[in-house]
Amino acid sequence: MHRWVLAFENIDQTQAAVVGGKGAHLGELSRIDGVRVPAGFCVAAGAFERIMAGVPSIEERLERLSHLEADDREAIGALSATIRESIEAATIPDDIATAITEALARLGDDGAYAVRSSATAEDLPTASFAGQQDTFLNVMGAPAILRHVSRCWASLFTERAVAYRLRNGFDHRKVRMAVVVQRMVFPQAAGILFTADPISGNRKLASVEASFGLGEALVSGLVNADVYTVRGGAVVSKTIGSKQRAIHASSTGGTCEHAIDPERRRQPALTDQQVVGLVEIGRRIEAHFGRPQDIEWCLADESFHIVQSRPITTLFPPPESDDELNRVYVSVGHQQMMTDAMKPLGLSFWQMTTPRPMGEAAGRLFVDVTQALASPASRENLLTLLGKSDPLIRDALETILDRGDFVQPLPEEGPAWVAPGAGAPPIETDPAIVAGLIARSEDSIAALEREISTKSGTELLDFIAADIQELRRVQFDPRGLHVIMAGMEAAWWLNDNLHTWLGEKNAADTLTQSVPNNVTSEMGLALLDVADAIRPHRDVVTFLRRVADERSPNGRNDDFLNELPELRGGREARNAIQRWLDRYGMRGVGEIDITRPRWTERPRMLLPLLLAHVESFEAGEAARRFEQGREEALKKEQDLLARLSALPDGARKAEETKRMIDRVRTFAGYREYPKYGMVSRYFVYKQALMREAERLVRDGVLREKDDIFYLRFDELRDAVRTRHADARLLADRKDSFEYYKSLTPPRVLTSDGEAVAGSYNRGDVPAGALAGLAVSAGTVEGRARVVLDVARADLEAGDILVTAFTDPSWTPLFVAIKGLVTEVGGLMTHGAVIAREYGLPAVVGVEHATRLIRDGQRIRVHGTEGYVEMLS
């Protein structure tokens, strides 16, 4: 066919850049056996480019459009309207018009057609753009079709399409518009088929929505459609909607609404047999494209016609498995307080570090707990531990177990599953134990730094692979795990028994304030000391504020430390910052992913926090805070022991309680150290790997150093050995990572792809309040600050931080707030541990907190009972 026009039979899914996402999918659909696609052709995106080249001042208008905010509807509406008018007014060149009319003649130009937009950024694996551009139905005659082709071109600049691109970071000038011209089908019924449950994500369930007439009645919300659920070749549930109106083709062109006869309104649009047959077609389409599909269909003359298929972009994929067995997975990210997607190198390092096999999906890691759930001997231990960590995970697992048909029980054989470090005999309360563990870790890292400095090439990669065994030995030292469990179990003992004996809720929260050896809480207080060193020097403060306000991508103004000595007081300030970085600079946001930036690499990330400390606090604040927490813990201990002594058998109860208090204060701080040790070791690896990456770039193996992050460890070793890296693989990995970032990982996921949500099932939460897990006692009221990026945090003293999750990089914020609310977390995750040590009331695991709580809203955090009230 002509270069401006391509018939469906000449199109496949590789040609989205030429015919847009919709056109490429329709061409590919027409190649699948047993799938009927109405005949048609695509007007190539090149025709749109030629039209745009002749639109007056279009570049200037697109430039203005790119600088608008996505929520500035008035400005977007006004500017996009002028662009649409100019495009529709443009004359279609004769050769393009001729190509379209000739293609119509081959199909039969006396028929009716659908004229549909097909943008090159549409129906992508990462973003569907569904409904952003226009479709016109029942268009008759070549002149009308040409006119509606122009309207489709113009619809690239509808207000909704422009706002969508702005919101999702798509450049208006890089998106082009093709147009689909397709034979109209006049259906008795039409609708949508999802080959996976769009709500739960279950890949074994298909959902069909159906109504009479054209599918536009359903898409526009004009009718309550019939809804069918299909599993295993059978309809397992259906709801017949009250279909009062339908949209049909008009004899004069276009469409019109009709009222449905009352006796037909409750009749099903499809028979069960037709629904099952439709799903079978959908499964063929899904298999062809390799992922769940959102399919538009029509039923005409007792045959199904497929008029569109796009990937369902919102579903979280299950980990891949070599078999078809039912499996249950628990998210690692929810335990580690880092649910962001990880790059391939980060995933492989984490998998090499941990002894337990993990599944991988959408850049996240999951643990297969099916075996532990199936065994009665292990099930309760697993549920108890996960319930203490995150009640929503336990409830989701119990939901699966209650179904009775997904996890097949195993006989009561073998030892019960126990948490690492649990079940060992009681450990003596001796501070020297913790000091020894820390010293061993520091000595091991020092030895690593000495040895790795001489390694390069494959010798470096081999050395790191071998050293990870040393990392695992230190990380999973049985004595260290025993210390962590001893501290946790002592806290649980105190909370349980003091509640029973004295009615005290969460007494251990106060008793663990300002414990020794908590490297993460010490980090937050140490930044206050850095602020003390900077505060007296106003020239330094002014300079740092200017650096913090500069907009420079990729850390290009992170050399400010070298400029500080030129200022009065700058040398002292630089030395204070550098000492802090020497101790804590290997940390950063998402630190379990070795590929994420560290504070030493991007020290500018610290400046907003540091300057806030300079402005909000006075000298000596760190020492005052630590001493205040220590005194409150001591006072609480003395009060509890005195009250216990007055009880029947009080001497014994007081003696046991004192022993547990000593244990928790001796061991609780070490809970944060193993991750610090691991991250410290990761940073040594990373520095060596980045030096190797520089060599790969110099040799032309990689385009840029960060490309190594998109290779798994073994792939990187091969690239170093062969001096070759697959550029196409790297590009695909980068695209996939951008997609993975848009997905939200579930706490619990099945091999069917079902994201199983848990609930708190509590009756003690007031109406309108948000339930969560109580992790740090106390009640506090204040202004909520919803923060999604620690680098953009704008907090004032006394605010309540509301965020998705926190990791150690957030700790410096904790000294400025008076309460904490997170969507993710458990009793022993980072945010909970530090909140208790700092004495901040905290509730974690509050589902959708960052959406349900408005920034600036006054809230009350009930850290003892575990809920959040909205006050205004």
Side-chain angles (χ1 to χ4, degrees):
M1 296 196 92
H2 199 282
R3 68 187 178 113
W4 302 121
V5 172
L6 288 85
F8 285 173
E9 57 265 27
N10 297 320
I11 297 170
D12 61 33
Q13 60 185 332
T14 67
Q15 294 170 277
V18 177
V19 296
K22 188 182 280 98
H25 280 173
L26 284 168
E28 192 70 31
L29 282 167
S30 67
R31 297 165 176 262
I32 305 174
D33 290 340
V35 176
R36 299 186 65 175
V37 177
F41 60 87
C42 290
V43 181
F48 169 78
E49 285 185 310
R50 189 167 162 195
I51 290 292
M52 290 291 285
V55 174
S57 64
I58 189 63
E59 285 299 322
E60 182 268 333
R61 283 187 279 180
L62 292 180
E63 178 68 20
R64 285 164 51 201
L65 203 62
S66 68
H67 291 294
L68 297 178
E69 296 294 331
D71 56 359
D72 189 351
R73 295 183 59 185
E74 183 175 353
I76 290 173
L79 183 53
S80 62
T82 68
I83 295 173
R84 290 197 305 276
E85 290 169 4
S86 297
I87 295 172
E88 289 189 39
T91 300
I92 300 178
D94 289 345
D95 56 338
I96 296 176
T98 299
I100 295 172
T101 55
E102 287 178 352
L104 281 171
R106 281 187 287 272
L107 290 177
D109 53 13
D110 57 343
Y113 289 85
V115 183
R116 312 168 70 191
S117 60
S118 180
T120 54
E122 182 176 288
D123 296 344
L124 303 175
T126 58
S128 73
F129 284 76
Q132 300 306 313
Q133 285 84 222
D134 288 341
T135 286
F136 304 97
L137 301 179
N138 199 30
V139 182
M140 295 183 287
I145 288 172
L146 289 170
R147 189 165 59 251
H148 284 84
V149 167
S150 291
R151 294 180 66 184
C152 279
W153 286 333
S155 75
L156 189 64
F157 298 97
T158 62
E159 182 180 328
R160 62 185 180 273
V162 169
Y164 188 95
R165 290 196 295 273
L166 288 171
R167 195 170 293 114
N168 289 278
F170 285 83
D171 189 336
H172 304 298
R173 287 161 294 197
K174 293 183 179 179
V175 181
R176 304 181 302 160
M177 177 67 81
V179 180
V180 171
V181 180
Q182 188 175 22
R183 274 279 197 180
M184 272 292 293
V185 175
F186 300 100
Q188 62 213 56
I192 300 170
L193 160 63
F194 297 98
T195 63
D197 186 334
I199 305 301
S200 72
N202 193 322
R203 269 61 168 183
K204 291 187 177 177
L205 295 179
S207 178
V208 175
E209 297 182 9
S211 63
F212 295 127
L214 292 165
E216 272 57 34
L218 189 157
V219 173
S220 64
L222 190 64
V223 298
N224 293 321
D226 301 342
V227 180
Y228 306 82
T229 301
V230 176
R231 183 184 184 117
V235 175
V236 295
S237 70
K238 61 182 172 182
T239 302
I240 306 304
S242 178
K243 302 174 287 296
Q244 298 188 20
R245 305 192 69 76
I247 294 178
H248 292 282
S250 170
S251 59
T252 57
T255 61
C256 56
E257 291 183 22
H258 290 284
I260 298 174
D261 293 339
E263 64 273 13
R264 291 189 66 218
R265 291 176 182 174
R266 300 295 301 186
Q267 291 180 7
L270 299 175
T271 66
D272 285 7
Q273 184 178 2
Q274 288 172 325
V275 170
V276 171
L278 174 61
V279 170
E280 289 176 355
I281 296 172
R283 292 295 182 211
R284 284 199 290 275
I285 295 171
E286 178 185 64
H288 183 85
F289 286 111
R291 61 187 304 172
Q293 297 287 301
D294 166 1
I295 298 168
E296 297 176 22
W297 56 269
C298 297
L299 177 65
D301 301 324
E302 301 306 316
S303 294
F304 285 107
H305 302 260
I306 305 303
V307 295
Q308 174 65 330
S309 183
R310 61 174 67 90
I312 306 176
T313 60
T314 56
L315 299 183
F316 198 91
E320 292 185 4
S321 176
D322 295 333
D323 54 49
E324 297 295 321
L325 298 176
N326 290 345
R327 298 184 184 276
V328 181
Y329 302 96
V330 170
S331 164
V332 173
H334 285 79
Q335 304 296 308
Q336 293 295 327
M337 296 295 277
M338 213 293 279
T339 58
D340 291 347
M342 296 170 67
K343 297 185 181 76
L345 189 64
L347 289 168
S348 59
F349 261 96
W350 190 254
Q351 289 168 313
M352 293 163 66
T353 301
T354 53
R356 187 166 187 173
M358 293 182 181
E360 184 180 323
R364 280 81 168 188
L365 295 171
F366 292 84
V367 174
D368 184 347
V369 297
T370 316
Q371 188 82 2
L373 288 176
S375 169
S378 299
R379 183 184 307 137
E380 193 52 43
N381 284 343
L382 176 69
L383 292 175
T384 297
L385 183 69
L386 289 175
K388 286 182 179 294
S389 170
D390 189 333
L392 294 176
I393 290 179
R394 173 170 183 152
D395 188 73
L397 294 175
E398 289 178 331
T399 297
I400 294 172
L401 290 170
D402 288 345
R403 294 173 181 171
D405 60 352
F406 194 83
V407 177
Q408 298 301 316
L410 295 173
E412 294 240 22
E413 294 179 359
W417 178 89
V418 295
I427 190 171
E428 58 182 314
T429 303
D430 181 0
I433 297 173
V434 174
L437 289 168
I438 292 173
R440 286 180 62 193
S441 176
E442 291 178 345
D443 290 345
S444 179
I445 292 170
L448 167 66
E449 290 174 329
R450 289 191 301 270
E451 295 177 35
I452 203 170
S453 62
T454 63
K455 306 293 190 294
S456 64
T458 54
E459 184 185 14
L460 170 65
L461 276 295
D462 292 342
F463 174 81
I464 291 174
D467 190 78
I468 284 177
Q469 301 310 308
E470 170 67 6
L471 168 63
R472 291 173 66 165
R473 185 188 68 78
V474 174
Q475 190 77 3
F476 300 103
D477 184 328
R479 194 160 180 80
L481 296 174
H482 195 181
V483 163
I484 293 171
M485 287 305 301
M488 292 168 60
E489 289 169 348
W492 298 338
W493 187 97
L494 288 166
N495 284 338
D496 291 345
N497 286 282
L498 293 176
H499 184 257
T500 300
W501 294 336
L502 299 175
E504 283 274 347
K505 280 188 175 182
N506 302 331
D509 294 356
T510 304
L511 294 168
T512 52
Q513 290 187 46
S514 297
V515 296
N517 297 312
N518 188 321
V519 68
T520 305
S521 63
E522 290 169 0
M523 175 181 67
L525 295 176
L527 198 63
L528 287 170
D529 291 335
V530 177
D532 289 351
I534 291 172
R535 191 178 294 107
H537 308 296
R538 301 315 302 172
D539 289 350
V540 171
V541 173
T542 300
F543 170 75
L544 294 179
R545 189 173 288 118
R546 186 173 70 250
V547 173
D549 290 340
E550 290 174 359
R551 299 181 64 180
S552 177
N554 302 320
R556 282 182 293 189
N557 55 4
D558 276 315
D559 59 353
F560 68 91
L561 289 175
N562 295 326
E563 301 177 41
L564 274 175
E566 301 172 9
L567 304 172
R568 181 179 303 173
R571 190 171 300 278
E572 295 91 325
R574 183 189 186 284
N575 290 342
I577 295 172
Q578 192 60 58
R579 282 193 301 270
W580 192 92
L581 290 172
D582 290 343
R583 174 67 171 153
Y584 306 110
M586 78 294 292
R587 312 206 81 161
V589 177
E591 62 187 15
I592 68 170
D593 181 354
I594 195 172
T595 72
R596 297 283 286 266
R598 310 291 150 161
W599 282 322
T600 288
E601 297 170 317
R602 303 274 179 85
R604 181 171 170 268
M605 295 190 298
L606 284 170
L607 292 185
L609 306 176
L610 185 54
L611 291 167
H613 290 351
V614 169
E615 295 170 1
S616 301
F617 300 107
E618 296 181 357
E621 179 68 17
R624 281 195 300 273
R625 286 200 172 211
F626 187 84
E627 183 58 25
Q628 179 185 345
R630 194 189 67 80
E631 290 177 356
E632 288 180 6
L634 179 59
K635 181 180 177 181
K636 186 71 171 180
E637 174 184 330
Q638 293 170 341
D639 172 66
L640 292 169
L641 295 178
R643 289 162 61 193
L644 286 169
S645 297
L647 297 177
D649 198 20
R652 178 189 62 81
K653 292 174 180 174
E655 180 183 355
E656 289 183 8
T657 299
K658 172 60 175 169
R659 186 163 62 250
M660 290 297 177
I661 291 174
D662 290 346
R663 183 174 299 173
V664 80
R665 289 196 61 78
T666 300
F667 295 144
Y670 184 73
R671 172 70 179 81
E672 289 286 299
Y673 194 86
K675 180 182 280 189
Y676 171 80
M678 182 195 75
V679 170
S680 297
R681 207 171 197 96
Y682 271 11
F683 188 54
V684 178
Y685 297 156
K686 183 179 183 182
Q687 289 174 302
L689 288 173
M690 295 312 291
R691 290 192 294 270
E692 191 63 32
E694 289 177 356
R695 287 188 279 271
L696 293 173
V697 171
R698 284 199 303 269
D699 294 347
V701 178
L702 300 176
R703 292 184 60 185
E704 52 190 17
K705 291 190 300 181
D706 288 1
D707 281 351
I708 69 167
F709 299 155
Y710 296 93
L711 296 171
R712 304 186 70 83
F713 184 83
D714 288 343
E715 293 169 341
L716 176 57
R717 181 155 47 184
D718 287 343
V720 170
R721 179 178 56 81
T722 64
R723 315 308 287 173
H724 172 76
D726 186 337
R728 181 69 260 171
L729 173 69
L730 289 169
D732 290 345
R733 292 266 178 88
K734 291 176 182 181
D735 288 344
S736 295
F737 180 71
E738 291 303 311
Y739 169 47
Y740 296 158
K741 289 196 299 185
S742 70
L743 298 178
T744 301
R747 284 174 165 84
V748 174
L749 184 66
T750 73
S751 51
D752 288 349
E754 181 182 4
V756 185
S759 62
Y760 287 103
N761 299 317
R762 290 163 44 188
D764 61 340
V765 178
L770 304 178
L773 177 63
V775 296
S776 187
T779 301
V780 67
E781 178 181 322
R783 180 179 68 163
R785 294 317 304 259
V786 179
V787 178
L788 301 179
D789 181 353
V790 68
R792 299 175 181 270
D794 182 16
L795 292 165
E796 296 178 6
D799 283 344
I800 296 172
L801 173 62
V802 180
T803 189
F805 58 85
T806 65
D807 64 10
S809 69
W810 291 69
T811 301
L813 291 181
F814 283 29
V815 300
I817 61 175
K818 63 179 181 180
L820 174 70
V821 179
T822 69
E823 295 179 341
V824 176
L827 280 169
M828 297 310 298
T829 47
H830 157 77
V833 171
I834 304 304
R836 288 194 291 272
E837 182 155 344
Y838 283 178
L840 303 173
V843 180
V844 303
V846 180
E847 290 275 74
H848 311 303
T850 58
R851 291 194 301 232
L852 298 174
I853 299 173
R854 298 190 308 276
D855 185 53
Q857 182 176 19
R858 288 194 67 79
I859 62 174
R860 184 179 295 128
V861 177
H862 294 264
T864 305
E865 288 78 20
Y867 62 88
V868 181
E869 286 184 282
M870 267 69 76
L871 302 180
S872 63

